[in-house]
Amino acid sequence: MILWLCLCWGFSPSAGQPDSELMARYLEEQLLADYSIAEQVAHRVPRQAKFLQRLETRPRMSEFHVRSTIISRYAFTTVSCTMVNSGSEAREAVFEMQIPAAAFISNFTMSIGNKTYYGEVTGKEKKNSTNDKERQKKPPSPTEGRENGYETFKASVFIPRKMQARFILHYEELLQRRRGKYEYTVSVRPQQLVGRLRVEVNILENSGIVSLEVPPLRNSKQKGNGKAEADVSPPPSTVIGHTKTLAKVTFNPTVVEQTRIARNGILGDFIIRYDVNRELSVGDVQILNGYFVHYFAPTDLPPLPKNVVFVLDSSASMVGTKLKQTKEALFTILQDLRPEDHFNIIGFSNRIKVWQQDRLVPVTPNNIRDAKKYIHNMSPTGGTNINGALQTGAKLLNDYIAQNDIDARSVSLIIFLTDGRPTVGETQSSKILSNTKDAIRDRFCLFTIGIGNDVDHKLLERMALENCGMTRLFQEDEDAASHLKGFYDEIGTPLLSDIRVDYPEDDVEQVTQNFFPNYFNGSEIIIAGKLINRTSDKLHVEVTASNSKKYILLKTDVAIDLPSRNDIRGVPGLEDGKGDNNYIERAWSYLTIKELLNSRLKSDDSQEKDTLMEKAKSMALAYNFVTPFTVLKMKEAGFHSEPPQEEFISPSTDGIGEKVQSLQGHKAPPGIRRGQDKQRIKISKTSADGDPHFVIDFPSSKFSVCFNIDGEPGDILRLVSDHKESGVTVNGQLIGAPAPPNGHKKHRTYFSTITILSNKPERSYLEITPKRVILDDGERLVLSCGRSAVVRSRSLEVSISAYSNITVTIRDSISFVILIHHYKKPAPYQRNHLGFYISNSKGLSSDSHGLLGQFLNHEVKLLQESLNTSHQEGGQNQREALKANPTNTLKVKGRLVPVVWKQRRIFNGQQEVECWFAKNNADKLIDGGYKDYLASHPFDTGSSFGTMSSL
């Protein structure tokens, strides 16, 4: 049996798959069964499927499972794959998985037939093997496999006839916050259709999860798909469950659903984005079993002024799409510069061309216009003088800093972009690195961007590392313009500079990097370390930094004894018995190894490089990480060993009070479109919608009553008030609009905001507008009305159908539906607004009140004695007589209310209602007058009719 295993820098081409939907359905039926030999023999196979099977020469994948747990940004991922050889001879099976370049593999296990092989992490020998030398003879393209920050893990085995192989891969990573979100990505590219495909991600964030979203599958190879750009709904079969601190997301497409996405089995990247609640303080410090990790990401600070020089490659290799997309990105970036910023532009090829000689110019409309003209006129020609361009840019920025009285707390930086290697002037990478470092002299930061396959990514990476910057690499066939703009957005808003995080020297040791030149909006600073004094009950933390107006000093003492908060048992990825299930310790080791690798990359001293390598190797072996200095060797466990099991344990939630297993979600329908769910929602006629028009349905009386409220813009109407009994209050705020031409009204009013408050069993409120839903039950969650989502807690469920409606269910006995009216091109008298409908009122008490609530448990009688018709008339004749009689009267709580017959359309005009209409702002129909239902503010609970209070 032949076995080879490697971590390689490239994508292998995917083999073609049968594109017949019949074949897809057949695969689904066959692969959902167990793949025992007897079953394979017993199954009858359709003729077409038999023909396609003969064409298929490789083993078939029966299972592809990805399970992940993210605990305080640290992600443990387990990939399980089963392949079946149903042929009559041994065949090669290739397990291939793209993993984030920043991740460390921690384990790998294979079972082929009745033999099991376990991976063992060992130190890499300096002397290369023959196979290594052969691979080095023809190295792959440097950026191949680094596309979008991924590497490809491969394992190849030969599976005997009528047998199966199972692969289990474990890897770990610390999620980075970019543009205000953490992004966790799983590559779902099994290279073929899979009968049982499932991705399950569990997230535990004790700070509280906010802004959880699952965008459509991302596949950079599928270009020109306009639908993917317009669609913001989760992939088909996605289920999302969410509480304050826990989230569970699953993706479980059938074979037919896979076929609709991509018939070759390359579905794309399954992405989860989220952020956490954070306070303006020293940040979030978590401590467990002698280790700590500190997350610092302040918000709501004024941005620092920037002094920025753009250095852009305009050599001949930039011709075509690359230069065009670079120009498009720069046009947008220039528009985003702030008035307090200063900038300049350098274009380079053989020659170095500076837009504004010997100065940086302020951001003014004229300067932005002239800069765009300069960029527009850039043409590709000549070679690539990287060294000369950087020297010119550094001198320009250094001279500006020295000669001008700039704000001492402004941020200076160079943004350098190229698509190739140095071909003109100094071409040795070592000389370019030393020249650049000498020119910058730690006065500002250098950010590098590489486009295409020919760029020297190691040179760009090291230049950025040595000069406090970052680097990004993009493929030529990607949307480089959006990537460039996205990268600029990461660094375009500096909020703090010279950030230093300190802890008492006698209390901590082996602390990772604790000084940072800049903090950019939407990012996060992470520090980790070990505690020396474990008997202490607190850890003192100090953060010093500066922003545009003042220096900041933040101090706090963090309690060390927090077992119920941070002790997570059964962390996946540690099943081999190594380690002690301490995710904070593993986050510390991850950060420490990354810093050792970066320090080695920056070092020019061979002895220092060897020392750093040995430290990184020693720690990688201790924590079972595959790094550039360690390798994964496979060892046979024995002929009669048990096959590997997909060991995966969800995080323990002892002391938290919530179970991730209890999370329930609704399947997100594929390709959600506006209004597709409206017909399925069950509602009553009782509602307040439009201008606003009120309808109350009386099922036992078999008729409805309607009325209008002519309020004033800004009025807040109490719709339902049952605060004392059920604890529920609903208020609606009005917005004004001009009246239609030739109308009798001076203006129109609509509901712009619906506020739903509940204080049983715990306090919570919902603030709903046509654009967003804010849920606050102690943890604030903001959801977009443009994205379908379901959020459920113990007593409250909020279900959003994108651009359509929001259903709010309280304790399974009270349900409201809020209809979203959104106009693409509104007329002058139209406004985006909301409609309020009562779907279930069983949980409201008989004492409920409000403009709608007062009628939910009371009946209204229609008096017929005054009719000038015979009592013998009945049925349709009597009904017509009721309509025609101008003196019809309702009896409501002893009051007589004159009414007339009307017809109205509700629920976006989809339902017609016949009702008795009460004039004059429902005079005598409602208790009291219109002004008695005005709330003082959106959160006014009005404990009883005519009185006001606040939740």
Side-chain angles (χ1 to χ4, degrees), residues 336-504:
D336 288 347
L337 292 174
R338 297 180 177 85
E340 62 271 20
D341 296 338
H342 291 75
F343 73 104
N344 203 340
I345 302 168
I346 296 174
F348 72 95
S349 54
N350 293 54
R351 300 168 54 195
I352 312 298
K353 300 178 181 179
V354 181
W355 171 49
Q356 297 286 342
Q357 290 293 331
D358 302 325
R359 62 176 181 147
L360 269 67
V361 299
V363 175
T364 64
N366 288 340
N367 285 337
I368 296 296
R369 179 199 62 201
D370 294 343
K372 288 182 178 180
K373 288 181 180 178
Y374 174 79
I375 293 171
H376 176 75
N377 292 328
M378 289 177 64
S379 58
T381 182
T384 308
N385 189 352
I386 290 178
N387 184 73
L390 287 171
Q391 293 298 303
T392 303
K395 183 178 185 304
L396 185 65
L397 202 48
N398 275 317
D399 291 347
Y400 177 78
I401 294 172
Q403 297 171 9
N404 293 272
D405 185 20
I406 66 170
D407 189 334
R409 289 178 293 279
S410 64
V411 172
S412 299
L413 50 93
I414 291 177
I415 298 178
F416 175 82
L417 182 146
T418 185
D419 75 327
R421 300 168 181 267
T423 60
V424 176
E426 182 59 67
T427 58
Q428 291 187 21
S429 296
S430 58
K431 291 286 186 68
I432 295 174
L433 287 168
S434 61
N435 292 343
T436 303
K437 192 171 183 178
D438 291 342
I440 292 178
R441 298 194 296 275
D442 295 327
R443 294 185 179 180
F444 46 85
C445 296
L446 170 64
F447 297 86
T448 60
I449 302 169
I451 300 179
N453 294 326
D454 298 328
V455 70
D456 187 345
H457 80 276
K458 289 186 177 180
L459 173 62
L460 297 184
E461 183 179 29
R462 187 168 174 183
M463 281 198 303
L465 281 174
E466 291 184 350
N467 297 284
C468 71
M470 297 184 292
T471 189
R472 289 289 185 273
L473 304 174
F474 307 126
Q475 293 298 103
E476 184 176 351
D477 60 350
E478 295 177 353
D479 183 2
S482 63
H483 283 308
L484 292 173
K485 179 59 170 63
F487 180 53
Y488 174 78
D489 288 344
E490 291 184 43
I491 62 177
T493 309
L495 297 182
L496 295 173
S497 60
D498 300 329
I499 305 100
R500 184 177 182 87
V501 185
D502 289 306
Y503 315 91

Side-chain angles (χ1 to χ4, degrees), residues 17-18 23 26-28 30-32 35 40 45 49-50 52-63 81-87 91-93 159 163-165 167 190 192-195 255:
Q17 295 295 313
M23 183 57 178
Y26 163 72
L27 283 173
E28 182 177 22
Q30 295 297 308
L31 297 177
L32 286 175
Y35 272 87
Q40 289 301 310
V45 182
K50 285 185 177 180
L52 292 172
Q53 278 185 325
R54 287 196 297 270
L55 295 179
E56 179 63 61
T57 60
R58 61 179 177 174
R60 182 179 298 122
M61 190 178 297
S62 63
E63 279 189 329
C81 173
T82 301
M83 293 187 180
V84 178
N85 178 12
S86 57
R91 290 175 178 171
E92 185 183 29
I159 305 177
M163 300 189 78
Q164 69 178 21
F167 309 88
Q192 56 181 285
L193 301 174
V194 184
V255 173

Side-chain angles (χ1 to χ4, degrees), residues 781-836:
L781 174 67
V782 180
L783 301 169
S784 169
C785 291
R787 299 190 177 185
S788 297
V790 177
V791 179
R792 179 178 293 161
S793 63
R794 280 174 284 182
S795 61
L796 181 68
E797 176 181 312
V798 180
S799 177
I800 301 174
S801 179
Y803 298 110
S804 176
N805 53 70
I806 299 130
T807 302
V808 179
T809 304
I810 303 172
R811 299 189 297 274
D812 293 326
S813 60
I814 304 170
S815 295
F816 305 126
V817 176
I818 293 87
L819 192 66
I820 303 171
H821 297 275
H822 191 274
Y823 300 96
K824 290 184 178 179
K825 296 180 180 179
Y829 55 89
Q830 291 176 325
R831 295 289 185 271
N832 292 338
H833 64 281
L834 303 172
F836 176 76

Side-chain angles (χ1 to χ4, degrees), residues 808-867:
V808 179
T809 304
I810 303 172
R811 299 189 297 274
D812 293 326
S813 60
I814 304 170
S815 295
F816 305 126
V817 176
I818 293 87
L819 192 66
I820 303 171
H821 297 275
H822 191 274
Y823 300 96
K824 290 184 178 179
K825 296 180 180 179
Y829 55 89
Q830 291 176 325
R831 295 289 185 271
N832 292 338
H833 64 281
L834 303 172
F836 176 76
Y837 293 77
I838 298 178
S839 177
N840 182 4
S841 61
K842 291 180 180 178
L844 295 172
S845 74
S846 58
D847 293 329
S848 63
H849 212 272
L851 286 170
L852 292 175
Q854 63 185 294
F855 299 106
L856 296 177
N857 294 288
H858 295 278
E859 287 298 324
V860 175
K861 291 184 179 181
L862 179 64
L863 300 183
Q864 302 180 14
E865 289 78 4
S866 61
L867 299 181

